[in-house]
Amino acid sequence: MLYISTRDNFEKVSAAKAIKLGMVPRGGLFIPEKTPYIAQTELNKMTSLTYCQIAEKILCLYLTDFSQNEIKECALNAYNQYNFDTYEIAPLYKLNDYTYILELWHGPTAAFKDMALQIMPHLLSKAVKKLDSQKETVILVATSGDTGKAALEGFKDVEGLKIIVFYPYQGVSKVQELQMTTTEGKNTFVVSIEGNFDDCQNTVKEVFADESFNKLLQDNNYELSSANSINWGRLAPQIIYYFWAYLRLLDKGEIKENEKINFSVPTGNFGNILAGYYASLMGLPINKLICASNENNILTNFINTGIYDKRREFKKTNSPSMDILISSNLERFLFEITGHNGGKIRDWFEELKTKGYFKIDEVTLEKLQEIMVGNYATEKETLSTISEVYFNNKYLMDTHTAVGVKVSADYVEEEKDEHLAVAVSTANPYKFNSSVLEALKGKEEVSKKGEFEILDELDKLTGIEIHPGLKYLDKKQVRHKQSCHKENIREQIKSILSIKT
Ligand SMILES: *Cc1c(COP(=O)(O)O)cnc(C)c1O
């Protein structure tokens, strides 16, 4: 299987090359030329497979230049009980008769990014070997908080590469910041950038597309790659848990063969929900993908009107990992639903850059709405959903998950859609502890306390153990203190890599 660019501006490449390059050097994202398919009869035979076995099966279909053994080794190294605190890897929790919650935060950093970033470094290091590159790989990451730590953990002390993470200064929670800045490892670097996540992400994308800067790096024996969800090596592993959830439900008899289900996905950069879309293209019986946003509801408007308009205020909300106006992976989705029309994609994203908005045609909008529904939850609704679910079901959710659960419940009520729904849970509730405690006990209780007192308070209140990735963070040494202005990012990278010019 070969990979093509969403902007028709690059040659076809192998999976290894797509993973190593991260994104198309001239702008655009790699996608598989053809999506593989798994028939229902085949699915029926997969119900007893472990998470790891499903991973092997799905990834083999996409990464055809990797041997089955190589993929198996990567999967075993990632999805095991050292890295995850449950043998199921991604357990399903039954909230009520028509809603399940898929918990994707049992990995080392307590957020769903681990699902992909525990395996991706293994895939990348195999890809680099296959391509026989003599250069050292430098991974650049822009993070709204969770990707950064997950990538640092995944790539820490992996030989032959360095990782540099950029996060928006004051744009992440204290816990998220400490998770990153206390990272050990000789090859890890963390830099805060003035501005919001979009500034951060755009700056990093510009560095990828900067030919003369890349030439300079090459001359110094370095090559860039990305661990953001613009990298196919990040995206492919996310397809696995959609299959896993479906197969668990089928195995338990909660659904029948061929029965369609809905997935509700708290969405930021559109990577998670895009993986769900690929699962549906592969034949997984999905009725609707519910795209849940916070008050940065640009995607809600887009899904309902076909107009993507970034000329609006960026809001900092209590679900910060979704505070994003430019959702990178939307480009892949649009490329798929336009039947691989790179010309259209180029025009739309050029308009987005120059005019600040674009409008898709009616036919594309119809295709989009066949599979996707979009809505959002306000900050207040997010908190009241957390407290309602906790007091009614004794189940504690984080803010991002609550956005998904709220949007899903509203959709069911409005549309009377009777398909079983899986709400994708993207973070452990303790990761966003101030908002979670605020939801349970009111703002007063939170305002005077530091995040680590809040963790203890939540622990006492709910009896739920503190995730090991969050415990004692305040006692660890801060090792990374670099910060820079976005204009100076190239200088910063050069200084980290000791490149003199
Ligand atoms: C990254 C993240 C999201 C958004 O996922 P995308 O793939 O960027 O849409 C949602 N919730 C949490 C907790 C996250 O870390």
Side-chain angles (χ1 to χ4, degrees):
M1 158 126 46
L2 292 175
Y3 288 75
I4 55 176
S5 165
T6 50
R7 301 196 187 179
D8 276 350
N9 57 355
F10 206 69
E11 76 242 25
K12 295 178 186 178
V13 299
S14 66
K17 185 131 190 221
I19 291 172
K20 203 191 98 191
L21 285 173
M23 74 178 270
V24 181
R26 289 174 211 131
L29 303 175
F30 287 114
I31 66 131
E33 194 174 25
K34 256 210 209 116
T35 310
Y37 192 80
I38 300 180
Q40 180 72 41
T41 47
E42 184 71 15
L43 272 183
N44 295 343
K45 291 186 221 144
M46 291 167 64
T47 52
S48 60
L49 299 188
T50 62
Y51 194 92
C52 213
Q53 289 166 328
I54 296 171
E56 186 184 326
K57 192 139 189 134
I58 304 286
L59 294 179
C60 279
L61 295 172
Y62 280 101
L63 314 180
T64 48
D65 48 329
F66 288 63
S67 73
Q68 185 165 357
N69 266 336
E70 285 176 319
I71 289 180
K72 186 174 187 168
E73 193 188 314
C74 291
L76 285 169
N77 279 327
Y79 305 120
N80 59 47
Q81 283 175 69
Y82 300 102
N83 299 332
F84 288 80
D85 65 10
T86 152
Y87 72 96
E88 286 201 286
I89 307 299
L92 272 172
Y93 174 85
K94 186 171 185 170
L95 190 63
N96 54 42
D97 283 341
Y98 46 90
T99 319
Y100 271 86
I101 295 196
L102 175 63
E103 296 180 349
L104 299 180
W105 39 260
H106 289 271
T109 76
F112 97 99
K113 305 294 194 290
D114 288 328
M115 301 307 297
L117 280 163
Q118 279 299 307
I119 191 165
M120 191 209 160
H122 300 293
L123 296 173
L124 181 70
S125 103
K126 290 214 174 353
V128 171
K129 278 202 195 100
K130 269 181 208 301
L131 298 166
D132 205 17
S133 167
Q134 306 302 317
K135 296 192 166 58
E136 182 166 10
T137 306
V138 179
I139 316 279
L140 296 188
V141 179
T143 183
S144 59
D146 295 327
T147 296
K149 179 59 176 177
L152 288 163
E153 277 308 303
F155 284 100
K156 179 174 81 184
D157 290 330
V158 174
E159 251 176 69
L161 56 85
K162 290 192 166 67
I163 171 164
I164 312 178
V165 170
F166 298 93
Y167 70 93
Y169 177 66
Q170 293 188 335
V172 302
S173 80
K174 191 75 203 156
V175 163
Q176 288 176 319
E177 183 171 45
L178 277 176
Q179 276 193 309
M180 292 189 276
T181 56
T182 57
T183 304
E184 295 171 9
K186 289 191 287 292
N187 62 341
T188 58
F189 303 88
V190 181
V191 182
S192 69
I193 296 248
E194 305 251 341
N196 60 38
F197 173 68
D198 284 313
D199 297 324
C200 204
Q201 167 157 273
N202 285 337
T203 311
V204 171
K205 272 194 193 164
E206 277 163 27
V207 171
F208 276 112
D210 181 339
E211 285 185 31
S212 69
F213 187 67
N214 278 276
K215 171 87 178 42
L216 175 74
L217 293 179
Q218 298 260 351
D219 292 345
N220 286 276
N221 218 30
Y222 289 115
E223 261 170 339
L224 294 181
S225 186
S226 161
N228 278 101
S229 55
I230 53 176
N231 192 322
W232 185 258
R234 254 295 285 287
L235 216 92
Q238 297 184 171
I239 299 170
I240 301 161
Y241 49 76
Y242 286 92
F243 278 88
W244 160 259
Y246 189 88
L247 290 166
R248 296 313 313 132
L249 293 171
L250 196 57
D251 191 40
K252 284 186 201 170
E254 291 289 307
I255 50 173
K256 294 189 284 297
E257 268 177 43
N258 281 315
E259 184 174 336
K260 290 189 172 183
I261 62 172
N262 295 333
F263 281 96
S264 162
V265 188
T267 297
N269 225 353
F270 212 76
N272 196 351
I273 199 164
L274 181 76
Y277 178 65
Y278 275 105
S280 83
L281 286 181
M282 290 173 74
L284 196 69
I286 294 177
N287 173 57
K288 289 284 189 226
L289 292 165
I290 302 167
C291 177
S293 300
N294 63 26
E295 287 174 46
N296 292 296
N297 57 357
I298 187 163
L299 283 167
T300 305
N301 295 343
F302 177 63
I303 291 167
N304 292 306
T305 65
I307 301 170
Y308 196 89
D309 191 344
K310 69 167 183 180
R311 297 168 301 171
R312 54 164 71 214
E313 207 187 320
F314 178 94
K315 289 189 187 152
K316 277 190 183 185
T317 73
N318 56 18
S319 44
S321 304
M322 293 153 66
D323 289 347
I324 291 174
L325 294 183
I326 302 185
S327 300
S328 295
N329 277 298
L330 185 64
E331 175 164 345
R332 283 189 166 115
F333 178 63
L334 292 175
F335 187 70
E336 290 291 0
I337 61 172
T338 54
H340 292 187
N341 190 330
K344 268 189 185 169
I345 303 301
R346 271 202 307 272
D347 291 348
W348 289 335
F349 285 87
E350 196 49 40
E351 280 173 44
L352 183 64
K353 206 166 165 187
T354 53
K355 293 196 286 184
Y357 72 97
F358 66 87
K359 183 176 194 300
I360 57 173
D361 52 89
E362 281 302 316
V363 179
T364 308
L365 182 58
E366 248 171 60
K367 280 231 69 157
L368 184 161
Q369 291 174 342
E370 262 170 39
I371 182 85
M372 232 169 253
V373 189
N375 211 338
Y376 74 103
T378 62
E379 289 199 274
K380 220 169 135 200
E381 286 169 334
T382 305
L383 296 186
S384 56
T385 305
I386 293 174
S387 66
E388 273 164 36
V389 169
Y390 182 69
F391 292 116
N392 294 335
N393 308 68
K394 283 279 162 273
Y395 184 78
L396 192 63
M397 301 183 292
D398 94 294
T399 47
H400 303 76
T401 307
V403 167
V405 167
K406 166 71 179 155
V407 168
S408 175
D410 285 354
Y411 166 73
V412 169
E413 185 161 322
E414 277 159 32
E415 299 296 324
K416 308 280 176 266
D417 184 332
E418 290 183 349
H419 293 89
L420 193 144
V422 172
V424 175
S425 174
T426 50
N428 178 289
Y430 286 4
K431 191 145 193 189
F432 299 93
N433 49 65
S434 328
S435 303
V436 172
L437 187 65
E438 182 184 338
L440 302 189
K441 301 210 70 178
K443 212 171 176 72
E444 298 288 280
E445 275 300 307
V446 179
S447 54
K448 293 174 228 85
K449 295 195 175 82
E451 277 199 44
F452 293 94
E453 275 174 87
I454 294 175
L455 273 181
D456 289 335
E457 171 101 17
L458 270 178
D459 184 24
K460 261 190 242 138
L461 188 70
T462 64
I464 302 170
E465 237 180 276
I466 302 178
H467 189 285
L470 308 175
K471 238 178 179 168
Y472 310 126
L473 260 184
D474 51 338
K475 313 268 184 318
K476 283 191 168 170
Q477 186 198 348
V478 173
R479 293 162 174 270
H480 304 275
K481 293 178 183 158
Q482 300 193 46
S483 67
C484 84
H485 216 270
K486 62 182 178 191
E487 283 79 39
N488 301 331
I489 187 168
R490 288 169 186 74
E491 292 308 313
Q492 195 74 25
I493 296 170
K494 273 158 59 181
S495 128
I496 287 171
L497 301 177
S498 312
I499 296 174
K500 295 179 199 74
T501 42

